[in-house]
Amino acid sequence: MKTYIVLTQNFVTVGGNHEIVWSSDLKRFEKRKDAVSHGFEIGRCDDFNVGTIESDRLVAVGYMESDCEGCFDVAAIAKELGL
């Protein structure tokens, strides 16, 4: 069964290098539209992504209505989130 989570990106500078740090409250939703609604609630804007979870693994990252094939390093994001 697929579930969905809200992902946020923060740009940080570490030792003069710029990095993206991913975070999530890891609250899972059965419907993508519910995750999108939650994203607006916690972020108060549309600056978030939606992660697709299958069998407790992050398998895709996308925007409001769809996953974005090849747009993100899903394995790296999953590792950062502990998924």
Side-chain angles (χ1 to χ4, degrees):
M1 176 168 122
K2 287 184 184 180
T3 57
Y4 303 92
I5 61 173
V6 174
L7 301 167
T8 56
Q9 307 175 43
N10 293 298
F11 295 94
V12 297
T13 302
V14 177
N17 296 318
H18 304 290
E19 297 179 13
I20 297 174
V21 176
W22 291 87
S23 62
S24 175
D25 63 4
L26 299 175
K27 186 172 181 181
R28 295 184 185 199
F29 299 89
E30 291 183 15
K31 296 179 182 174
R32 185 182 205 101
K33 69 177 185 170
D34 294 336
V36 170
S37 293
H38 182 63
F40 281 114
E41 289 172 12
I42 62 173
R44 294 183 172 65
C45 68
D46 65 354
D47 192 18
F48 62 88
N49 296 95
V50 176
T52 303
I53 306 287
E54 287 184 12
S55 301
D56 291 325
R57 290 184 51 237
L58 181 68
V59 296
V61 176
Y63 300 106
M64 300 294 167
E65 298 301 323
S66 63
D67 292 328
C68 184
E69 299 271 336
C71 296
F72 302 99
D73 184 343
V74 175
I77 296 168
K79 183 177 179 182
E80 193 167 338
L81 297 175
L83 293 172

